[in-house]
Every structure is written in structure tokens, then in C-alpha cells.
């Protein structure tokens, strides 16, 4: 049954088609042989350039993590922006972090955005605790409120971010311990994530 079918297929081709294909291949082959090394060289150059850029990015990230103060452009890769945010947050330079965090969010780098918000929130909480130790409630309140907002944004980007959930609970307990914080500073993000701890009768409020 297969032979007649093959014969019909061959008969369907115009006469001389096979010869024309063969002649076309013979004419094109020298050009392809010349173009192929060029195409391979271009591909290798592209891979080499990408590797060089990645190595440069990694080197700058390592420098920031070691404590070197390097400027980072807003259009830099998200990983490099995150390293810069962490560098600034660790040193309390929070006003400089916001444009970088927004740049990460514009890149839709969800993981990096969550970690950037978390780093900023932790820095605000450190400042708040220092101010509370100094009995400076007026300045501590806004830091706690802003920290809570950043923890929430981190959780919006990554709902399974357990460390952010835990620290959000700490910030929320501070709000409960110092109720004037909310009255003085407000809280623009009123929607709370689901409660982390269950209030059990007979246990301190919020205890596990």
C-alpha cells in the first residue's frame, strides 16, 4: 500500500523540481559556509558580553555587601538595586532607598521588591527602638507606622515571607503598646493580613 502512495507523491511534484532544489543548494552552500562562522562569532560575542555584564554586576554587589559605597543607577538590575537598598538601610539612609525600591518594583522583580521593602522596614524599626529607648515617642511613632506599611508591602509581593510576617506582628504590638502612634501618624494601609497569632483566652494578647 505504501509504494503506490509514494508514487503518487512523486508524481505530484512538478517535473525537474528535485534538480532545481539540488542546483539551488549547490549555489547557496558556499554562502552558508561563509556566513556560518560569522553567525557563530556574533552569538559567542553576545554570550561573552552577557557574561561580562553579569560578572560586573556580581562584583558590584559583593562590593556593596563588603561596605563600599557605590552609586547605582535606577535602571540597574534588580539584584544590584537590592544590594544598594540594603547598604543604605543598614546605615539609616532611608530617604535614598525609596527611588531604588520603586525602580525594583517597576521591573516587576517580585522577590527583590519584597526583600527591599523588608530591609527598609527593619531599618525603620531599628530607628524606632532607639527612639523609644530615648523616650522620644513623637519621633518613634512615625517610624513604627512606616515600618508596618513596608512589611505589608513586602507581604503583598510575597505572601509567604515569614520573617516579614513576624516583624509585622512586632510592629503591630508596638502600636498596641503605644496607641498614640496611630492617632498621631495615621496608617494609610488599613487592611491587615490574616492574624499571625491566635488570641487564646487566659494568654497575653497576641501570644502564640
Amino acid at each position: 500500500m505504501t509504494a503506490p502512495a509514494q508514487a503518487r507523491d512523486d508524481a505530484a511534484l512538478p517535473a525537474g523540481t528535485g534538480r532545481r532544489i539540488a542546483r539551488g543548494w549547490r549555489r547557496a552552500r558556499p554562502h552558508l559556509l561563509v556566513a556560518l562562522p560569522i553567525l557563530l562569532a556574533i552569538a559567542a560575542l553576545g554570550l561573552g558580553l552577557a557574561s561580562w555584564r553579569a560578572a560586573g554586576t556580581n562584583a558590584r554587589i559583593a562590593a556593596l555587601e563588603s561596605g563600599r559605597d557605590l552609586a547605582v543607577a535606577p535602571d540597574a538590575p534588580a539584584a544590584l538595586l537590592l544590594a544598594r537598598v540594603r547598604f543604605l538601610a543598614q546605615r539609616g539612609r532611608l530617604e535614598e532607598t525609596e527611588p531604588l525600591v520603586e525602580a525594583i518594583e517597576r521591573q516587576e522583580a517580585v522577590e527583590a521588591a519584597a526583600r527591599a521593602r523588608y530591609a527598609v522596614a527593619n531599618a525603620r524599626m531599628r530607628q524606632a527602638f532607639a527612639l523609644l529607648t530615648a523616650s522620644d515617642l513623637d519621633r518613634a511613632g512615625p517610624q513604627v507606622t512606616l515600618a508596618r506599611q513596608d512589611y505589608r508591602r513586602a507581604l503583598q509581593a510575597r505572601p509567604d515571607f515569614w520573617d516579614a510576617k513576624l516583624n509585622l506582628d512586632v510592629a503591630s504590638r508596638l502600636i498596641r503598646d503605644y496607641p498614640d502612634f496611630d492617632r498621631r501618624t495615621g496608617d494609610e494601609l488599613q487592611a491587615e493580613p490574616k492574624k499571625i497569632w491566635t488570641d487564646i483566652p487566659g494568654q497575653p494578647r497576641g501570644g502564640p
Side-chain angles (χ1 to χ4, degrees):
M1 297 295 293
T2 57
Q6 183 65 44
R8 286 195 298 272
D9 291 340
D10 292 343
L13 294 174
T17 298
R19 289 192 296 274
R20 285 197 294 272
I21 293 174
R23 284 197 300 270
W25 167 246
R26 285 194 295 271
R27 286 195 299 268
R29 186 169 61 177
H31 301 290
L32 292 175
L33 292 175
V34 171
L36 184 59
I38 298 174
L39 294 174
L40 291 175
I42 293 172
L45 181 62
L47 291 173
L49 181 60
S51 178
W52 175 77
R53 287 177 175 172
T57 297
N58 291 337
R60 299 191 72 191
I61 290 172
L64 285 164
E65 291 177 346
S66 69
R68 284 185 59 194
D69 190 354
L70 297 178
V72 175
D75 60 349
L80 181 55
L81 289 169
L82 174 58
R84 178 63 175 171
V85 169
R86 284 172 167 165
F87 174 91
L88 295 170
Q90 289 168 0
R91 289 154 181 81
R93 295 161 59 180
L94 298 179
E95 291 183 359
E96 299 175 57
T97 64
E98 192 61 29
L100 302 178
V101 175
E102 291 175 354
I104 295 172
E105 292 173 340
R106 284 195 298 272
Q107 293 185 24
E108 298 183 355
V110 175
E111 178 71 18
R115 294 194 174 277
R117 288 288 180 190
Y118 176 74
V120 172
N122 285 346
R124 294 194 187 281
M125 287 297 291
R126 288 193 294 270
Q127 291 186 358
F129 281 122
L131 292 167
L132 287 171
T133 301
S135 300
D136 191 346
L137 302 185
D138 289 338
R139 294 173 61 199
Q143 294 301 324
V144 175
T145 301
L146 291 171
R148 190 163 65 164
Q149 292 173 6
D150 280 323
Y151 286 133
R152 288 175 178 170
R153 289 190 174 101
L155 288 168
Q156 288 170 357
R158 204 186 109 186
D160 63 342
F161 198 164
W162 173 251
D163 289 342
K165 290 181 181 180
L166 183 62
N167 289 2
L168 173 61
D169 186 62
V170 172
S172 298
R173 292 185 188 195
L174 279 177
I175 293 290
R176 292 198 296 266
D177 290 340
Y178 298 92
D180 283 348
F181 285 176
D182 265 342
R183 288 199 293 271
R184 291 175 183 172
T185 64
D187 192 340
E188 66 184 34
L189 295 178
Q190 294 296 330
E192 290 278 4
K194 66 180 182 179
K195 295 182 70 175
I196 301 169
W197 309 120
T198 302
D199 290 336
I200 301 174
Q203 296 292 330
R205 184 178 181 185

